Amino acid sequence: MTLVDPSPGRGASWAAAGMLAPVTEVTYGEQPLLALTLAGSARWPSFAAELEEASGRSPGYVECGTVVVARDADDRAALDDLLAFQRSLGLEAEWLRRRELRGIEPGLAPGVRGGILVAGDHQVDNRALVEALCLAFERAGGTLRRTAVAAVDVARDRVTGVRLSDGSRIAAGAVVLAAGCWTGGLGGLPPDVLPPVRPVKGQLLHLAARGDAAPPATRTIRGLDVYVVTRPDGRVVVGATVEEQGFDTTVTAEAVHDLLRDARDLLPGLGELAFAEAVAGLRPGSPDNAPLIGAAAGIEGLVCATGHHRNGILLAPVTAGAVVDLLLDRDAPDVVAPFSPGRFRAAAPVAAGAR
Ligand code: GLY
């Protein structure tokens, strides 16, 4: 098996924060995605253990829980609605008053109005994760080719391999399209088969502990516009913007300012940490913000695993499982059926002369 990637693990996965948060990230109108994100979350403990065994490296999976905090009356009203929505879906979430909240997270700003505790939303160290995945892949006999795929070769509606940007070719009876936001630009495929994914920019900050100071929080702390993920060793990730800026990955002064301001409003002690890094990445967004997982209609041997938008890390185990099922000619789990790439096929524009 060959993985072709110019920089494995350095795309959206590198710029993520590693939140595993199906309940706190549940969004109105995206309920069909919830069954999948919950399945992803349920798979994480065993996936992390299997990966550590296979790679000899911990991916940094931590069952930390998450709190969504209200800073003012407007936030409070929004969180009342969110809690009602979460409960209407049967999700586990509870309201904590200011004193209860500051009892479990003393680093929170004194002015917080309370918040929603979601004990089941956790985190993984996304950068440790991709390092472990690359190691496990190579240990299992996989080959990493650090170059880009220029085009997928298709003959008589069947995949025959890929052409690489250096001009070489790899013959293959099956190809998995998993090039993140670049998947939509791959050559060789008819427009109605090419996954309709676009880049959705996210900017994040990395802060680092100084001296023996206690970490700012033990749980992931979220506001309505910001989240703060604290690793057990005191490193902190603050995210994230959601921007439609094409393939631009500029880190902007405004985003750095706004993320720090919003994060410090929740956890004032963050200002004492060392500034380590600001990073911008590109999520692969689809027209309905849900992933495309499954066999590509019309081309035998072509499987899609892309368009995961805000949920790539969370959905990694369930996506990998489904892709393996499909490659081995088994049925993928029912939970991925609604996310078949074919759902966009009728709507996709077909260029004149294509096919
Ligand atoms: N899931 C968090 C993000 O995409 O920013």
Side-chain angles (χ1 to χ4, degrees):
M1 186 173 296
T2 303
L3 173 68
V4 184
D5 190 320
S7 196
R10 292 299 195 275
S13 308
W14 194 252
M19 285 187 300
L20 305 173
V23 178
T24 41
E25 292 230 325
V26 68
T27 304
Y28 302 103
E30 291 183 8
Q31 289 91 318
L33 188 55
L34 182 64
L36 187 67
T37 55
L38 288 172
S41 173
R43 229 350 230 115
W44 256 100
S46 58
F47 181 75
E50 285 161 29
L51 180 57
E52 184 160 353
E53 172 83 27
S55 65
R57 250 331 152 87
S58 166
Y61 170 71
V62 182
E63 298 194 340
C64 58
T66 298
V67 179
V68 195
V69 177
R71 286 172 299 190
D72 55 29
D74 287 348
D75 284 2
R76 172 71 208 246
L79 292 195
D80 283 346
D81 288 348
L82 176 61
L83 183 62
F85 182 53
Q86 289 166 329
R87 291 202 167 140
S88 74
L89 296 167
L91 301 171
E92 211 176 296
E94 64 174 304
W95 184 259
L96 297 188
R97 292 190 295 242
R98 178 199 315 239
R99 192 178 301 169
E100 295 168 308
L101 208 50
R102 294 197 69 227
I104 60 166
E105 291 293 355
L108 282 170
V112 298
R113 300 277 182 117
I116 303 172
L117 171 65
V118 177
D121 277 4
H122 303 311
Q123 63 160 298
V124 64
D125 182 338
N126 49 295
R127 293 185 173 183
L129 167 69
V130 291
E131 304 280 4
L133 284 169
C134 288
L135 277 171
F137 178 71
E138 289 193 304
R139 277 193 181 184
T143 303
L144 280 180
R145 291 282 300 267
R146 292 172 197 277
T147 183
V149 169
V152 179
D153 284 336
V154 178
R156 283 187 228 96
D157 290 337
R158 194 174 208 313
V159 153
T160 59
V162 292
R163 265 171 289 138
L164 307 184
S165 54
D166 62 10
S168 60
R169 185 173 186 278
I170 302 175
V175 170
V176 181
L177 299 182
C181 68
W182 292 276
T183 315
L186 290 171
L189 295 171
D192 63 335
V193 172
L194 209 51
V197 291
R198 69 186 193 287
V200 182
K201 179 177 176 182
Q203 301 190 55
L204 297 94
L205 310 177
H206 287 243
L207 310 177
R210 279 170 63 212
D212 294 334
T218 52
R219 294 163 186 78
T220 293
I221 307 293
R222 304 179 63 118
L224 291 180
D225 303 318
V226 72
Y227 51 78
V228 180
V229 182
T230 303
R231 307 284 187 226
D233 63 5
R235 287 173 297 140
V236 170
V237 185
V238 177
T241 63
V242 180
E243 304 168 66
E244 301 281 350
Q245 300 279 354
F247 287 90
D248 171 58
T249 51
T250 310
V251 173
T252 63
E254 186 175 28
V256 172
H257 169 268
D258 291 355
L259 288 168
L260 268 180
R261 180 201 57 206
D262 292 347
R264 285 190 64 227
D265 279 354
L266 300 178
L267 293 163
L270 288 179
E272 298 299 319
L273 301 186
F275 186 86
E277 184 185 344
V279 62
L282 300 172
R283 308 172 182 89
S286 75
D288 60 8
N289 291 333
L292 294 86
I293 307 169
I299 309 257
E300 220 180 310
L302 191 64
V303 175
C304 289
T306 188
H308 290 69
H309 196 233
R310 294 177 64 96
N311 293 306
I313 303 287
L314 172 62
L315 295 178
V318 76
T319 303
V323 166
V324 169
D325 284 339
L326 292 165
L327 293 177
L328 296 179
D329 281 333
R330 299 190 300 235
D331 289 336
D334 289 346
V335 74
V336 303
F339 305 99
S340 152
R343 74 187 186 279
F344 298 121
R345 205 164 178 222
V350 181
R355 306 211 74 189

